[in-house]
């Protein structure tokens, strides 16, 4: 194995950290001249203006040379990044040209090599492309700066023993070469001073393309381009925002539908498409190592989490389906729906009007079908499933921690300090903060934001967030008003004594109102989401977060808080408020003194919560997939329409990628947000809809392939980034897991009819042979028609009913405490509160016991981490010891050499002992 050495005193780059603006600017880069420079002209070509001419090698007959390549024209230097811009003949063009000239000159000073494609070479005849290559000297310098780990020795720890059941999983496995594209190595942070230690076989392939584009992007974000308005300006982000450049991106390695002609190309994009991004491969495992190698750890950890979440959903979906089937098979045994549907019981019970004046009296058996179907979700299995999901969510989070720990070990992230990577100052923070103060740790001057400025910005930010949350609540109240208004209309049309059945067997006034209001609410949710996303990014930028990690965390909390209120507020209303504050005939409760509060269906409010949850959850998933897959495809189809008319060998790799959509810095953020909102639906309200995990499972199987397809085929290659966990999302999931226990306990207690039925079964039954007989009659109170107030008395009473029934537990007319709550009401309320306390305590005790029992890091992984650390330290110390011996032999006396060798050996022994 060829290991290439370098001189110890070779200095390639100087980082000025103590400049006026405290920005790490690369200057005085002095690359050595290569042979290629003498034969082919300058390695770096600057873009001067639209009249600039390409070097002589651009005159190669492009009809005989394919441009679908990831290399410079010499076929040797790899393109690590591409910048594009368009000439725009306006007043700003001269300023933009000057910015580009200064920026590219500074990139050359940083050691990067540039090559320009003139606009005449592009498909549209307008776009210039600046190709960037990072030579070896730049790569090794920044590999040390970024603390990149590289191989030092092949891993000699035996792989995990295969289990007998593994043979059953072979149909779901991918080929070994796809699953593990690289050998497993012991690694160590790169250092220029000990290059002989690393397994450097080939300088051009030692750093993977994802590492290379990460290094180049680090330079691009910190490279200055001049001074404007007395302030130093820097970074590719600003140049993209002000239109100086139109795009900046690394290249895909080949076309996704076929392999590249270049034998040196790894064709990883093609492999990912064939083995991962096609829907027909939905039953196969994901090639996580290849995803991580091609896209970086941050995207790899997302797909690992999404895949693990989907696997765990399978168990919840199976149990939920069993609970649903139990409700289905026991529908005919449900005494409540039998009594409602019976002509002798439900057909004889006259219910009070559902609205004032216009509505008529109606018979209970008109809700027969809806009461039968409500049993699908409101049965004994509901309680079991609510408890099961409380434990399932704990198992999911704990086992994910273990899976995450294993990935950290396998992907060399054990010693990765997020502070090192994420806590670096954002270029925007460095640019906007003009005040300086000394860092007590480094004793260096660094920018900071004064406390007064922070307070003002936080006040504006907090006020904006509260305003938008208030806007959501106002929109929810508007939907409630809509429900109350149309509810009266539906009730007056659909319920009357002349019609023994509703317009449709399942469509009661409550259900018709719920369906239309849910659809309206979904539309409002989507509109508010679209608007708030832009506002959230704007106010987070205004706060000027210090680090990338701070920026992501603040944006995450703002977006999640908004989405939480936006998506779940309507479900909370139906679950915990609807039908709870109705009053009784003759003394109804009114909203804004105008609209009578809604009543629940005689069969309960749970079926309406199920309807609300299904429409919002399913609608969000369908709309999300349309947004993620179809919209980018349409944009890309439109952008590539001209290129399809030209020969393929003239459609260059950088132009192909330029025509794709940009994944964006927040692309992954929206993917996490979508899944976490879905996680809330299947945990917070799962007691009302046992099929929610099954819907989520089917969506996620599609989601994995849609996300992989769009990332591989419809988006430019994202810049690789490191991450050792899912970040702040883990804490959000933990919080939702705890909240879900409370919400499901309240749903079972207050939204379903389980507790009233159990109280009747054990304390108020009248028939020992059939304890549930008479429950419906017992749950309906009697009202005397003559007690109606003039304002809400029905206009018509053709059959001269003297009494009507309503859903409540109140004393009948003629009783000394007429229309007051009965003792049974208070017994049921006490039972509900006791149930909530008992269920919460049981589930929380089991949750915390399970969390305590399952260690976050598997014992095997701990042992392998310790073994790898020990061997890596040993290799490094032996290398340093040999180097020291060689150096001392050359320039020191034997006595001094002996002392230093003894000291170094002692250091090795001490390290081993520790």
């Amino acid at each position: 194995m060829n290991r290439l050495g370098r001189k110890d005193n070779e200095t390639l780059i100087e980082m000025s950290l103590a400049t006026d603006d405290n920005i790490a600017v690369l200057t005085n880069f002095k690359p050595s001249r290569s042979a290629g420079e003498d034969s082919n002209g300058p390695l770096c070509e600057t873009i001067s203006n639209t009249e600039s001419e390409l070097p002589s090698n651009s005159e190669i007959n492009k009809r005989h040379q394919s441009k679908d390549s990831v290399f410079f024209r010499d076929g040797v230097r790899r393109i690590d990044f591409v910048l594009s811009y368009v000439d725009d003949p306006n007043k700003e063009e001269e300023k933009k040209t000057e910015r580009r000239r200064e920026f590219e000159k500074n990139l050359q000073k940083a050691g990067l090599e540039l090559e320009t494609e003139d606009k005449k070479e592009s498909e549209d005849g307008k776009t210039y492309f600046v190709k960037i290559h990072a030579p070896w000297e730049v790569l090794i310098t920044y590999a040390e700066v970024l603390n990149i780990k590289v191989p030092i020795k092949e891993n000699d720890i035996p792989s995990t023993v295969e289990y007998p059941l593994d043979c059953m999983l072979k149909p779901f496995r991918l080929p070994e070469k796809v699953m593990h594209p690289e050998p497993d190595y012991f690694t160590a942070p790169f250092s220029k001073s000990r290059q002989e230690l690393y397994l450097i076989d080939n300088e051009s392939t030692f750093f993977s393309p994802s590492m290379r584009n990460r290094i180049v992007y680090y330079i691009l974000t910190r490279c200055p381009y001049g001074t404007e308005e007395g302030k130093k300006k820097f970074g590719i982000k600003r140049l993209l925002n002000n239109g100086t450049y139109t795009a900046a991106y690394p290249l895909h390695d080949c076309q996704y539908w076929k392999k590249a002609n270049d034998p040196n190309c790894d064709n990883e994009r093609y492999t990912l498409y064939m083995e991962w991004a096609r829907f027909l491969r939905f039953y196969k495992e994901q090639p996580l190592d290849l995803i991580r190698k091609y896209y970086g750890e941050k995207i790899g950890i997302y797909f690992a989490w999404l895949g693990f979440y989907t696997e765990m959903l399978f168990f919840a979906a199976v149990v939920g389906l069993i609970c649903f089937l139990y409700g289905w098979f026991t529908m005919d045994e449900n005494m409540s729906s039998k009594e409602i549907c019976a002509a002798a019981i439900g057909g004889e019970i006259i219910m009070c009007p559902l609205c004032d004046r216009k509505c008529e009296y109606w018979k209970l058996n008109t809700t027969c079908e809806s009461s039968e179907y409500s049993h699908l979700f409101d049965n004994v299995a509901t309680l079991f499933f609510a408890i099961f999901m409380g434990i399932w969510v704990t198992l999911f989070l704990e086992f994910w921690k273990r899976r995450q720990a294993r990935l950290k070990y396998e992907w060399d992230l054990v010693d990765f300090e997020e502070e090192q990577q994420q806590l670096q100052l954002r270029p925007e923070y460095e640019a906007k903060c003009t005040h300086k103060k000394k860092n007590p740790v480094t004793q260096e001057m660094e920018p900071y934001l004064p406390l007064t400025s922070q307070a003002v910005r936080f006040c504006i930010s907090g006020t904006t967030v509260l305003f938008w949350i208030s806007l959501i609540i106002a929109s929810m109240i508007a939907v409630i008003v809509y429900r109350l208004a149309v509810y009266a209309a539906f009730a007056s049309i659909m319920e009357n004594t002349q019609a023994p059945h509703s317009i449709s067997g399942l469509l009661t006034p409550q259900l018709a109102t719920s369906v239309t209001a849910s659809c309206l609410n979904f539309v409002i949710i989507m509109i508010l989401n679209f608007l708030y996303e832009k506002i959230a990014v704007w106010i987070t930028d205004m706060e000027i977060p210090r680090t990338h990690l701070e920026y992501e965390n603040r944006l995450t909390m703002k977006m999640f808080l908004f989405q939480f209120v936006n998506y779940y507020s309507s479900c909370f209303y139906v679950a915990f408020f609807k039908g709870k504050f109705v009053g009784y005939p003759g003394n109804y409760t009114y909203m804004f003194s105008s609209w009578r509060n809604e009543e629940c269906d005689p069969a309960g409010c749970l079926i309406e919560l199920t309807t609300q949850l299904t429409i919002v959850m399913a609608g969000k998933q369908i709309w999300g997939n349309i947004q993620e897959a179809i919209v980018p495809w349409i944009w890309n189809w439109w952008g590539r329409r001209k290129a399809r008319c030209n020969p393929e060998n003239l459609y260059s790799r950088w132009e192909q990628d330029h025509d794709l959509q940009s994944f964006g810095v927040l692309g992954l953020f929206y993917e996490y947000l979508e899944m976490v909102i879905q996680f809330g639906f299947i945990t917070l309200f799962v007691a009302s809809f046992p099929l929610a995990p099954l819907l989520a499972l089917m969506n996620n199987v599609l989601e994995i392939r849609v996300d992989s397809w769009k990332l591989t085929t419809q988006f430019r290659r994202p810049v690789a980034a490191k991450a050792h966990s899912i970040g702040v999302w883990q804490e959000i999931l933990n919080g939702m897991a705890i909240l879900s226990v409370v919400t499901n306990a309240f749903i079972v207690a207050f939204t379903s009819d389980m507790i009233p039925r159990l109280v009747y079964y054990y304390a108020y039954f009248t028939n020992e042979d059939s304890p549930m007989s008479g429950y419906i009659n017992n749950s309906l109170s009697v009202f005397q028609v003559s007690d109606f107030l003039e304002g809400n008395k029905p206009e018509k009473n053709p059959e001269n009913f003297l009494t009507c029934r309503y859903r409540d537990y109140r004393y009948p007319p003629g009783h000394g405490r007429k229309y007051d709550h009965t003792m049974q009401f208070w017994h049921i309320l006490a039972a509900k509160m006791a149930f909530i306390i008992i269920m919460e305590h049981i589930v929380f005790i089991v949750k915390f016991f399970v969390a305590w029992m399952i260690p976050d890091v598997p014992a095997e992984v701990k042992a392998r981490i310790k073994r790898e650390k020990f061997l890596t330290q040993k290799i490094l110390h032996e290398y340093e010891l040999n180097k020291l011996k060689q150096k001392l032999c050359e320039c020191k006396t034997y006595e001094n050499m002996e002392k230093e060798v003894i000291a170094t050996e002692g250091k090795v022994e001490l390290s081993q002992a520790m």
Side-chain angles (χ1 to χ4, degrees):
M1 191 170 287
N2 183 24
R3 301 183 183 181
L4 303 176
R6 292 287 179 273
K7 296 179 182 178
D8 293 339
N9 60 351
E10 187 177 2
T11 303
L12 301 170
I13 208 163
E14 297 176 7
M15 300 184 68
S16 175
L17 297 175
T19 56
D20 291 339
D21 56 355
N22 198 28
I23 298 170
V25 179
L26 304 178
T27 55
N28 303 327
F29 189 89
K30 301 175 182 177
S32 57
R33 288 179 64 84
S34 64
E37 186 174 338
D38 294 332
S39 59
N40 293 332
L43 291 179
C44 301
E45 303 168 77
T46 59
I47 302 172
S48 55
N49 52 43
T50 58
E51 303 298 323
S52 65
E53 295 191 5
L54 296 173
S56 58
N57 58 3
S58 70
E59 303 299 329
I60 296 173
N61 187 352
K62 60 182 181 176
R63 294 281 174 187
H64 296 89
Q65 182 182 9
S66 174
K67 296 174 70 178
D68 186 20
S69 169
V70 293
F71 294 94
F72 274 20
R73 296 191 198 100
D74 58 17
V76 176
R77 291 171 289 164
R78 186 182 187 93
I79 301 172
D80 297 313
F81 228 87
V82 175
L83 308 178
S84 67
Y85 66 92
V86 178
D87 271 344
D88 187 11
N90 57 30
K91 297 178 182 178
E92 292 288 321
E93 183 55 33
E94 188 175 339
K95 186 182 291 185
K96 291 178 181 177
T97 302
E98 182 58 35
R99 287 172 185 158
R100 285 193 291 267
R101 184 183 293 112
E102 186 68 24
F103 185 69
E104 289 163 22
K105 184 175 73 174
N106 287 329
L107 289 179
Q108 292 179 65
K109 288 182 180 179
L112 298 178
E113 299 173 1
L114 312 180
E115 185 176 81
T116 305
E117 289 289 333
D118 193 82
K119 66 180 180 180
K120 299 172 186 176
E121 304 289 318
S122 65
E123 286 295 335
D124 59 7
K126 302 176 183 177
T127 308
Y128 290 86
F129 292 94
V130 182
K131 298 174 286 186
I132 301 174
H133 169 75
W136 173 255
E137 290 79 5
V138 172
L139 293 173
I140 60 175
T141 299
Y142 282 94
E144 187 170 11
V145 171
L146 296 175
N147 206 35
I148 292 176
K149 286 187 173 183
V150 293
I152 57 173
K153 181 183 177 182
E154 197 158 342
N155 193 336
D156 61 357
I157 301 176
S159 59
T160 309
V161 181
E162 291 190 5
Y163 295 100
L165 292 178
D166 282 355
C167 60
M168 297 175 61
L169 301 175
K170 281 187 178 179
F172 307 100
R173 302 291 189 197
L174 288 173
E176 182 66 20
K177 188 177 180 182
V178 176
M179 286 302 297
H180 305 289
E182 293 179 312
D184 193 12
Y185 293 105
F186 292 138
T187 59
F190 188 85
S191 173
K192 290 200 305 181
S193 62
R194 48 190 183 199
Q195 292 182 47
E196 298 87 352
L197 177 65
Y198 308 116
L199 303 182
I200 304 175
D201 184 37
N202 186 337
E203 288 184 358
S204 62
T205 59
F206 180 67
F207 294 103
S208 67
S210 61
M211 288 182 183
R212 297 174 70 101
N213 72 56
R214 182 174 154 228
I215 289 171
V216 173
Y217 187 70
Y218 181 87
I219 298 172
L220 289 174
T221 55
R222 285 159 175 78
C223 183
Y225 59 83
T227 303
E228 296 178 9
E229 299 175 358
K231 295 181 181 179
K232 275 202 170 183
K233 303 291 183 179
F234 65 93
I236 188 63
K237 292 180 183 177
R238 280 178 172 272
L239 293 173
L240 290 171
N241 289 337
N242 60 32
T244 303
Y245 290 101
T246 56
Y249 53 94
L251 293 180
H252 284 294
D253 62 353
C254 66
Q255 293 170 333
Y256 67 85
W257 65 88
K258 69 173 187 177
K259 293 185 177 181
N261 297 324
D262 190 342
N264 296 322
C265 181
D266 292 331
N267 296 298
E268 290 173 349
R269 186 190 188 193
Y270 171 79
T271 304
L272 285 169
Y273 174 71
M274 297 301 294
E275 301 291 347
W276 177 53
R278 295 189 300 166
F279 182 74
L280 293 179
R281 313 291 283 180
F282 73 91
Y283 63 94
K284 294 285 189 180
E285 61 184 336
Q286 297 187 87
L288 294 176
D289 287 347
L290 185 58
I291 297 168
R292 170 244 182 172
K293 182 186 176 194
Y294 192 74
Y295 290 115
E297 287 80 2
K298 194 168 187 178
I299 289 178
I301 207 84
Y302 163 73
F303 280 103
W305 175 80
L306 180 56
F308 183 79
Y309 171 46
T310 305
E311 290 170 16
M312 291 294 291
L313 272 176
F314 174 78
F315 302 103
V318 169
V319 177
L321 182 60
I322 292 171
C323 292
F324 176 78
L325 293 176
Y326 169 82
W328 182 277
F329 291 131
T330 58
M331 273 178 63
D332 295 336
E333 302 171 16
N334 181 27
M335 186 58 69
S336 299
S337 59
K338 280 183 179 180
E339 292 186 345
I340 290 174
C341 296
I345 303 175
E348 295 298 324
I349 295 178
I350 304 302
M351 302 296 292
C352 295
L354 296 173
C355 64
D356 296 339
R357 304 291 293 170
K358 298 294 182 183
C359 295
E360 299 179 10
Y361 300 96
W362 54 284
K363 293 182 179 180
L364 180 61
N365 65 351
T366 58
T367 62
C368 173
E369 285 82 359
S370 66
S371 68
E372 287 180 334
Y373 282 97
S374 69
H375 179 71
L376 290 172
F377 310 106
D378 192 358
N379 53 64
V380 178
T382 301
L383 172 60
F384 165 77
F385 193 57
I387 295 173
F388 168 80
M389 286 302 293
I391 298 170
W392 173 88
V393 73
T394 303
L395 291 172
F396 162 62
L397 294 173
E398 292 302 316
F399 282 128
W400 166 245
K401 289 178 186 175
R402 292 169 65 83
R403 179 78 176 104
Q404 192 170 254
R406 190 177 294 276
L407 285 175
K408 283 173 68 174
Y409 166 72
E410 293 174 355
W411 290 357
D412 290 323
L413 298 170
V414 173
D415 295 324
F416 170 70
E417 293 293 336
E418 194 126 19
E419 291 78 11
Q420 242 177 359
Q421 191 65 30
Q422 299 291 340
L423 297 187
Q424 295 168 352
L425 296 181
R426 293 173 64 236
E428 294 84 353
Y429 180 85
E430 294 176 310
K432 292 179 181 178
C433 296
T434 55
H435 297 78
K436 307 279 182 182
K437 71 175 181 180
K438 184 178 287 188
N439 187 311
V441 178
T442 62
Q443 293 297 305
E444 293 178 354
M445 299 298 291
E446 63 179 24
Y448 82 101
L449 198 62
L451 189 60
T452 52
S453 179
Q454 287 185 46
V456 171
R457 292 172 188 274
F458 276 121
C459 285
I460 296 173
S461 173
T463 305
T464 307
V465 172
L466 288 175
F467 168 77
W468 278 88
I469 290 177
S470 303
L471 195 61
I472 298 173
I473 295 171
S475 69
M476 187 189 71
I477 293 172
V479 172
I480 293 172
V481 170
Y482 164 83
R483 297 174 74 109
L484 301 178
V486 301
Y487 176 75
F490 280 129
S492 63
I493 295 170
M494 300 170 65
E495 301 291 357
N496 59 72
T497 55
Q498 311 303 320
H501 296 282
S502 303
I503 290 174
S504 169
L506 294 176
L507 199 60
T508 62
Q510 292 91 339
L511 194 56
T513 303
S514 184
V515 170
T516 57
S518 297
C519 294
L520 176 63
N521 185 61
F522 175 72
V523 172
I524 293 174
I525 285 172
M526 291 296 104
I527 294 172
L528 289 176
N529 268 352
F530 175 77
L531 297 174
Y532 183 75
E533 283 177 6
K534 302 183 182 304
I535 297 296
V537 172
W538 175 75
I539 57 178
T540 306
D541 288 338
M542 183 204 63
E543 290 175 7
I544 318 180
R546 188 171 184 271
T547 64
H548 294 287
L549 186 62
E550 261 185 53
Y551 183 90
E552 288 187 10
N553 288 349
R554 289 186 191 180
L555 182 61
T556 298
M557 294 311 297
K558 288 184 185 71
M559 284 298 295
F560 175 74
L561 181 63
F562 178 85
Q563 299 265 20
F564 184 92
V565 178
N566 200 17
Y567 278 107
Y568 303 143
S569 57
S570 58
C571 293
F572 273 102
Y573 165 73
V574 175
F576 305 123
F577 296 97
K578 184 181 177 182
K580 307 299 185 294
F581 310 100
V582 176
Y584 61 91
N587 187 26
Y588 284 118
T589 306
Y590 290 84
M591 187 176 190
F592 303 130
S593 303
S594 301
W595 294 281
R596 199 173 105 186
N597 284 354
E598 286 183 278
E599 297 180 46
C600 285
D601 192 278
C605 264
L606 200 68
I607 188 69
E608 295 182 49
L609 177 58
T610 303
T611 304
Q612 177 78 20
L613 184 65
T614 305
I615 290 175
V616 176
M617 181 180 174
K620 182 185 183 304
Q621 292 179 349
I622 293 169
W623 176 251
N625 286 323
I626 291 173
Q627 236 181 348
E628 291 181 7
I630 297 178
V631 173
W633 181 83
I634 291 173
W635 280 111
N636 290 336
W637 173 83
W638 181 257
R640 289 194 300 256
R641 67 194 187 283
K642 290 184 180 179
R644 290 197 300 272
C645 303
N646 296 308
E648 187 178 308
N649 66 330
L650 299 183
Y651 193 28
S652 64
R653 162 75 14 230
W654 45 91
E655 286 181 280
Q656 292 175 41
D657 286 8
H658 181 265
D659 289 341
L660 298 176
Q661 299 297 299
S662 173
F663 189 63
V665 180
L666 299 176
L668 212 55
F669 166 81
Y670 292 115
E671 300 297 340
Y672 273 119
L673 184 62
E674 179 186 3
M675 287 296 103
V676 169
I677 293 297
Q678 183 205 81
F679 181 81
F681 280 123
I682 68 161
T683 54
L684 296 177
F685 307 102
V686 75
S688 67
F689 190 35
L691 292 180
L694 182 61
L695 284 182
L697 174 64
M698 292 190 294
N699 174 78
N700 286 8
V701 169
L702 180 64
E703 180 77 21
I704 290 174
R705 302 304 157 178
V706 168
D707 285 350
S708 58
W709 174 80
K710 72 177 184 182
L711 200 60
T712 307
T713 67
Q714 303 301 308
F715 284 89
R716 297 171 190 156
R717 186 175 184 171
V719 179
K722 276 187 172 288
H724 70 285
S725 69
I726 61 174
V728 71
W729 298 109
Q730 182 80 35
E731 302 306 318
I732 291 174
L733 292 174
N734 288 334
M736 293 180 78
I738 293 171
L739 181 61
S740 68
V741 177
V742 180
T743 56
N744 283 302
F746 272 85
I747 286 172
V748 174
F750 285 96
T751 310
S752 79
D753 262 5
M754 182 177 296
I755 302 300
R757 286 200 296 262
L758 289 174
V759 170
Y760 179 82
Y761 182 88
Y762 287 107
Y764 289 91
F765 68 91
T766 55
N767 186 343
E768 292 187 2
D769 296 330
S770 179
M772 288 306 296
S773 296
Y775 169 73
I776 291 297
N777 187 61
N778 176 265
S779 65
L780 297 174
S781 299
V782 180
F783 181 76
Q784 191 168 326
V785 172
S786 59
D787 291 337
F788 267 120
L789 298 177
E790 199 59 37
N792 52 24
K793 186 176 181 178
E795 293 177 350
K796 298 177 183 179
N797 185 6
E799 298 188 27
N800 296 317
F801 296 119
L802 299 177
T803 61
C804 61
R805 310 294 292 274
Y806 60 100
R807 183 184 170 87
D808 208 341
Y809 295 92
R810 294 180 183 270
Y811 290 112
H815 193 278
R817 299 177 60 190
K818 182 173 69 170
Y819 303 140
D820 285 346
H821 282 124
T822 63
M823 188 56 67
Q824 186 176 352
F825 170 85
W826 300 109
H827 287 165
I828 291 172
L829 183 60
K832 288 179 177 180
M833 300 307 295
F835 169 80
I836 290 171
I837 294 170
I838 293 170
M839 178 181 168
E840 284 182 359
H841 279 71
I842 290 174
V843 175
F844 278 134
I845 289 171
V846 174
K847 278 170 62 72
F848 291 129
F849 178 73
V850 168
W852 174 75
M853 284 288 292
I854 301 175
D856 291 349
V857 183
E860 173 217 350
V861 173
K862 283 183 179 178
R864 291 168 75 90
I865 290 172
K866 289 179 181 178
R867 170 69 178 161
E868 180 168 343
K869 280 186 175 181
F870 166 75
L871 292 177
T872 304
Q873 279 189 339
K874 185 177 179 182
I875 292 169
L876 291 173
H877 285 310
E878 286 177 355
Y879 169 78
E880 294 292 343
L881 183 62
N882 291 332
K883 191 175 180 181
L884 180 62
K885 284 180 180 178
Q886 183 181 359
K887 187 176 180 181
L888 292 176
C889 285
E890 294 174 356
C891 59
K892 291 197 175 182
T893 63
Y894 177 79
E895 183 179 355
N896 291 336
M897 180 186 73
E898 185 179 19
K899 288 179 180 178
E900 291 209 28
V901 169
I902 291 171
T904 306
E905 288 176 342
K907 180 182 175 184
V908 173
E909 291 175 4
L910 179 61
S911 175
Q912 291 175 352
M914 292 175 65

